[in-house]
Amino acid sequence: MAAMRKKKAVKTPKGDQTSKLILDTALEMFRERGYEQTTMRAVAEKAGVSLGNAYYYFRSKEHLIQAFYQTMHDEHVVLVLPALEKLDTMKARLLTVIRLKIDVMKPYHQFAGVLFKTAGDPQSPLNPFADEANAVRVASIQLFEKVVEGTKARIPKDLRAELPYLLWVYHMGIILFWIHDRSPKHRRTYRLIDRTVEMVDKMIYLASNPFMRPLRKHALALVDELRDAAEDIMDQEEEPK
Amino acid sequence: MAAMRKKKAVKTPKGDQTSKLILDTALEMFRERGYEQTTMRAVAEKAGVSLGNAYYYFRSKEHLIQAFYQTMHDEHVVLVLPALEKLDTMKARLLTVIRLKIDVMKPYHQFAGVLFKTAGDPQSPLNPFADEANAVRVASIQLFEKVVEGTKARIPKDLRAELPYLLWVYHMGIILFWIHDRSPKHRRTYRLIDRTVEMVDKMIYLASNPFMRPLRKHALALVDELRDAAEDIMDQEEEPK
DNA sequence: GCGGTTAGTTGAACGTGTTCAAAATTCCGC
DNA sequence: GCGGAATTTTGAACACGTTCAACTAACCGC
């Protein structure tokens, strides 16, 4: 529970229990009846605590969602790391990571859309242009670093450096797609994953080709720009054109 | 005002006035003090109407934002159409459309982020995977249809059909970036526009090349998949693999 | 065991988004 | 101009997210 985003660090085993109880209760209720339809009062009552107590552990209703996102990430990591050890092609590794992510989130399909409620918030872990202070976001991108570093594919250094971020953005897109997917067992999402992973794999291969270097450099410079949006210091014309 | 998303169609000139007054008041207050800090009570009071009256015209606070988005689109169209008549290259047309969009939204930079508050909502005009019922979204994509159809660039038919949607998604990305941009006069955003428009132009040129047809077909099929996420009918395996 | 500190818990109250029945105003046909 | 219908306006009340002062429980040093 220590990795969970909470109002304050829980100091006792009893507090740990209460915190977990509140979160579990909330997630279950979100799943059953939806996020908007679940009130904090209902969560507290079902968990057998006071409303204020729920707020003692979770600063806001939205923080429950962030805790959920953290939980999803943690579960994802647990599944991914052993799986990656058996795979060495870029394609297989990426396919596994993305599929497992959807698998992990599956029970929460109904309310997963609220994850994107703060997509425009610079502090949101889901925001591609966010500042980088968010721990889950950092950790999630690091997982893609592992995908990249463990592959046998020959990838130029400059591309290797940016790929985790790009793959992370790609995976956010897949999650967004999945949220909208109403096909049986989200077949459409898995199909899209299959196809896009294949395409991404090819693109990485193409982009790694030496004759693509100028174009690649150019594109990667743009990616760098994308990540600078949240810099709030004076823009100092870092690169001569 | 008729194009504005409201609780109910306004039936009288007086109603029109009140509706406009409320919206103008709200947007001004959003700009001055931010969306979250502006209460519906404050808007109503400043507009000189009752709180319930504000809700008579705008179903929710969020609907004010949607009316804002509609207003931005309307203003954008007014500027874009005459400008496009003077341009025929893809690059120039696209550059103009994107730049003007940022120009139009500029006064509202402070609260434009809330536009993305409903990015995960299938009904949101901003959502790339949304169902297509939203009028502003449709109209916005149609504007990019005009960009495409008025260009002298030779673009294959299949790409032409998908390009407005893709350009629209691209432009949403630019807006999201802009929201985070804190550089003076959003220089970073304009710079990114310049560079990405150039890149997009090149990609269109490349993708239009006959030897790219198989790859293009493949990619466009994926784009088609992307737009199907919101279909809530049974997935009938439309295409043989 | 006591006292002080820390951690956890409570429930009344606040602010804000929203609703809705009633009242007021406007519209329109006769 | 009147009456009925339609439209607009109102403000009290509701629901829900959130806060916070007061209380309770647990911890720890002496």
Side-chain angles (χ1 to χ4, degrees):
Chain A
M1 312 258 35
M4 233 181 304
R5 182 89 177 268
K6 285 180 293 245
K7 179 171 181 179
K8 50 189 64 170
V10 183
K11 299 293 175 66
T12 66
K14 180 140 197 281
D16 260 354
Q17 277 183 33
T18 307
S19 170
K20 187 175 188 311
L21 175 62
I22 292 166
L23 179 59
D24 290 349
T25 305
L27 294 187
E28 188 190 336
M29 295 180 83
F30 290 163
R31 193 171 49 190
E32 284 173 3
R33 55 181 83 172
Y35 178 76
E36 307 290 346
Q37 286 73 46
T38 303
T39 66
M40 293 297 282
R41 284 169 174 81
V43 172
E45 180 170 351
K46 188 158 186 182
V49 302
S50 72
L51 181 57
N53 203 204
Y55 278 103
Y56 178 78
Y57 290 100
F58 298 95
R59 186 176 296 141
S60 68
K61 192 178 180 184
E62 206 163 272
H63 279 80
L64 286 169
I65 290 295
Q66 294 188 19
F68 157 65
Y69 186 60
Q70 174 77 61
T71 302
M72 292 299 100
H73 170 74
D74 294 341
E75 291 183 21
H76 188 220
V77 169
V78 166
L79 292 178
V80 163
L81 292 186
L84 284 189
E85 292 186 2
K86 304 172 195 150
L87 305 167
D88 59 1
T89 67
M90 188 69 209
K91 182 174 163 182
R93 294 170 73 82
L94 188 56
L95 197 53
T96 296
V97 170
I98 304 290
R99 278 178 160 261
L100 285 177
K101 188 74 180 228
I102 300 295
D103 292 347
V104 163
M105 294 182 78
K106 187 183 305 179
Y108 307 100
H109 186 255
Q110 195 194 340
F111 75 94
V114 301
L115 280 174
F116 285 87
K117 204 158 169 105
T118 57
D121 177 353
Q123 249 102 78
S124 168
L126 285 71
N127 188 341
F129 307 133
D131 66 46
E132 307 195 345
N134 187 287
V136 192
R137 187 178 184 274
V138 172
S140 197
I141 296 178
Q142 277 168 357
L143 192 54
F144 287 101
E145 278 170 18
K146 284 186 173 26
V147 172
V148 173
E149 76 195 18
T151 181
K152 70 178 182 182
R154 308 189 75 103
I155 302 173
K157 243 161 120 141
D158 56 353
L159 181 55
R160 253 185 200 266
E162 296 293 349
L163 209 42
Y165 171 73
L166 290 169
L167 293 177
W168 176 81
V169 171
Y170 156 68
H171 118 287
M172 293 311 314
I174 293 287
I175 292 173
L176 185 60
F177 183 89
W178 168 72
I179 284 163
H180 294 81
D181 185 1
R182 300 185 203 182
S183 61
K185 298 189 179 175
H186 308 133
R187 266 175 20 206
R188 209 168 259 165
T189 300
Y190 288 103
R191 189 169 65 193
L192 186 71
I193 292 170
D194 289 344
R195 294 179 178 180
T196 49
V197 163
E198 179 153 2
M199 179 169 259
V200 167
D201 190 42
K202 282 179 184 167
M203 284 170 72
I204 293 171
Y205 174 74
L206 276 181
S208 302
N209 195 304
F211 88 88
M212 293 290 268
R213 186 161 178 281
L215 186 57
R216 187 180 72 231
K217 283 275 182 202
H218 188 58
L220 292 178
L222 285 187
V223 173
D224 216 44
E225 290 267 343
L226 291 179
R227 299 168 70 172
D228 283 345
E231 289 280 345
D232 52 357
I233 56 172
M234 181 70 70
D235 185 351
Q236 313 214 354
E237 210 69 45
E238 299 140 348
E239 320 129 50
K241 174 76 193 292
Chain B
M1 313 265 17
M4 232 180 303
R5 182 88 177 267
K6 285 179 295 247
K7 181 172 180 176
K8 51 188 67 170
V10 183
K11 298 294 175 67
T12 66
K14 180 140 197 280
D16 260 354
Q17 277 184 34
T18 307
S19 170
K20 186 174 188 315
L21 176 63
I22 292 165
L23 180 59
D24 290 349
T25 305
L27 295 187
E28 187 189 336
M29 295 180 84
F30 290 163
R31 191 171 51 190
E32 282 174 5
R33 54 181 84 169
Y35 178 75
E36 308 291 346
Q37 285 71 47
T38 303
T39 66
M40 292 297 282
R41 284 171 176 81
V43 172
E45 180 170 351
K46 187 158 188 184
V49 301
S50 73
L51 181 58
N53 203 206
Y55 279 102
Y56 178 76
Y57 290 100
F58 298 96
R59 186 177 295 140
S60 69
K61 190 178 182 185
E62 206 163 273
H63 279 79
L64 286 169
I65 290 295
Q66 295 188 20
F68 156 65
Y69 186 60
Q70 175 78 61
T71 303
M72 292 298 99
H73 169 74
D74 293 343
E75 290 182 20
H76 188 220
V77 169
V78 165
L79 292 179
V80 164
L81 292 186
L84 285 189
E85 291 186 3
K86 303 173 194 150
L87 305 166
D88 60 1
T89 68
M90 187 70 208
K91 182 175 165 183
R93 294 169 75 81
L94 188 55
L95 196 54
T96 296
V97 170
I98 304 291
R99 278 177 161 264
L100 285 177
K101 187 75 178 224
I102 299 295
D103 291 348
V104 163
M105 294 181 79
K106 187 183 306 179
Y108 307 101
H109 186 255
Q110 196 195 342
F111 74 95
V114 301
L115 281 173
F116 285 88
K117 204 155 171 120
T118 57
D121 178 353
Q123 248 102 79
S124 167
L126 285 71
N127 187 340
F129 308 133
D131 65 47
E132 306 194 346
N134 187 285
V136 192
R137 187 177 182 277
V138 171
S140 197
I141 294 178
Q142 277 169 354
L143 194 52
F144 287 99
E145 279 171 19
K146 286 185 171 27
V147 172
V148 172
E149 76 195 15
T151 181
K152 70 176 182 183
R154 308 186 75 100
I155 302 172
K157 240 156 121 145
D158 56 354
L159 181 54
R160 253 183 201 268
E162 297 292 350
L163 208 42
Y165 171 74
L166 291 168
L167 294 177
W168 175 81
V169 172
Y170 157 67
H171 119 286
M172 292 312 313
I174 293 288
I175 292 174
L176 185 60
F177 182 88
W178 167 72
I179 283 164
H180 295 81
D181 185 1
R182 301 185 203 181
S183 60
K185 298 190 180 174
H186 309 132
R187 268 178 15 209
R188 210 168 258 163
T189 299
Y190 287 104
R191 189 170 65 193
L192 185 72
I193 291 170
D194 290 343
R195 295 179 177 178
T196 49
V197 162
E198 179 152 3
M199 180 171 257
V200 167
D201 190 42
K202 281 180 185 166
M203 284 170 70
I204 293 171
Y205 174 74
L206 275 181
S208 302
N209 196 302
F211 88 90
M212 293 290 268
R213 187 161 177 279
L215 186 58
R216 189 179 73 231
K217 284 273 184 207
H218 188 57
L220 292 178
L222 285 187
V223 174
D224 216 43
E225 291 268 340
L226 291 179
R227 299 169 67 172
D228 283 345
E231 290 280 344
D232 52 357
I233 57 171
M234 182 69 71
D235 185 352
Q236 313 214 356
E237 209 68 45
E238 301 140 344
E239 320 128 49
K241 175 79 193 287

